[in-house]
Amino acid sequence: CGGSQELDVYAVREGGDRGTIVYFHGGGFVTGDKSDITGLGNIKRQLARGFGVVSVNYRLADPESGENAFPDAMADVAAAVDWVRAHGADHGLNTDVIITAGGSAGGTLAALAGTAANSSDPVFAQLEPVDGWMSMSGVMTWKGGENSEGWMQAWLGPDYEDQRDVASVTNHLDSDDPPGYLAHGADDTFVETGNAELLEDEVSLLNRLLFWRWRGKITVDIVDDFSDGQPMADNTGHQPIGGANSTVMDGWFDDVVERSTEPT
């Protein structure tokens, strides 16, 4: 597989044994590698809060040769999560709670892993439900803007028009989804903030239609100011992990664990 189906395991440092975060790197669906964890930021910080982290490679698209990576990348996402479930405990991971996370293109994969597991489309047949999903500046829909269309076209290749709705996270939101968290920089020049706004609109619509039956709490953090309302000068661009509200993010992780481990 040329390294496209390999992963790295980061063991819990402290804070108990609470679950595992399966992380997918960014790179516009055409580049990137699991070994670059500089952008993990608050994700990596969860190692001190009781979570193990698994950083995953997946098959990439090659626009020059016309080779797309959809749905191959989704099969790799499914395989990675399945591996964690089957073998994670052998590597010191708690597999009782599994959360997918990712940045940019990886954020799209993580969000689809969380929202499309119950889809009837055969593209996602291999996905098993996870306990939560987190996306940093992921492409939530091809409708997010010209850049979003471009990234989707690179990923889907000649199947773009046929598969763009299938590959859009906003088309898979429903009341059975697990909790989700989307952080997006207000000054993102790579993936338009419109992605977060369109997802937020869809969540609001579902909330109005489903009322209290909406089980999965979606948190949307458009990063543009500090918690006290003062403007933020830095960390408001693409994958704004340094500017994301760490207190809210930590609370979201805690909520996922509580929801996933409470008696039924």
Side-chain angles (χ1 to χ4, degrees):
C1 65
S4 64
Q5 294 168 321
E6 296 178 345
L7 50 80
D8 296 330
V9 176
Y10 296 85
V12 177
R13 289 203 305 265
E14 56 185 295
D17 186 19
R18 308 180 65 203
T20 300
I21 301 167
V22 184
Y23 183 84
F24 302 96
H25 66 78
F29 304 105
V30 298
T31 187
D33 186 81
K34 63 181 173 51
S35 62
D36 183 9
I37 61 172
T38 55
L40 281 169
N42 287 333
I43 302 293
K44 189 168 62 175
R45 206 169 60 81
Q46 302 306 315
L47 292 170
R49 301 188 68 250
F51 294 91
V53 175
V54 176
S55 186
V56 178
N57 273 351
Y58 52 89
R59 277 172 283 185
L60 301 171
D62 184 1
E64 290 188 5
S65 67
E67 181 178 347
N68 63 323
F70 184 86
D72 290 344
M74 293 312 306
D76 293 343
V77 168
V81 174
D82 288 346
W83 182 91
V84 169
R85 282 203 177 92
H87 304 287
D90 299 334
H91 298 269
L93 299 172
N94 179 344
T95 60
D96 292 337
V97 177
I98 297 179
I99 300 167
T100 54
S104 196
T108 304
L109 299 182
L112 284 171
T115 60
N118 59 354
S119 170
S120 61
D121 195 291
V123 165
F124 305 111
Q126 298 177 65
L127 289 176
E128 294 293 334
V130 294
D131 298 294
W133 61 268
M134 177 174 288
S135 172
M136 299 294 140
S137 302
V139 180
M140 299 291 102
T141 171
W142 64 272
K143 299 177 182 179
E146 291 185 6
N147 291 353
S148 299
E149 285 192 85
W151 298 126
M152 278 286 192
Q153 287 173 337
W155 191 27
L156 306 180
D159 296 330
Y160 170 67
E161 290 194 1
D162 291 335
Q163 296 282 19
R164 62 188 184 182
D165 287 331
V166 176
S168 291
V169 176
T170 53
N171 289 335
H172 298 287
L173 297 173
D174 61 60
S175 60
D176 292 324
D177 291 340
Y181 188 112
L182 172 64
H184 208 114
D187 298 322
D188 193 339
T189 59
F190 288 93
V191 176
E192 296 91 342
T193 307
N195 280 271
E197 295 166 348
L198 287 169
L199 182 131
E200 196 166 32
D201 289 344
E202 189 67 24
V203 169
S204 297
L205 175 62
L206 285 169
N207 278 333
R208 289 197 298 272
L209 294 176
L210 296 166
F211 300 100
W212 59 270
R213 291 192 297 116
W214 177 261
R215 182 176 70 87
K217 184 176 73 172
I218 304 290
T219 300
V220 178
D221 178 12
I222 298 179
V223 180
D224 56 0
D225 55 37
F226 293 101
S227 58
D228 63 0
Q230 294 300 308
M232 184 182 294
D234 300 317
N235 296 315
T236 60
H238 192 53
Q239 298 190 64
I241 193 66
N245 189 322
S246 59
T247 301
V248 173
M249 185 179 291
D250 289 350
W252 182 86
F253 277 112
D254 296 342
D255 183 62
V256 171
V257 172
E258 183 177 351
R259 286 168 177 251
S260 304
T261 57
E262 65 184 6
T264 57

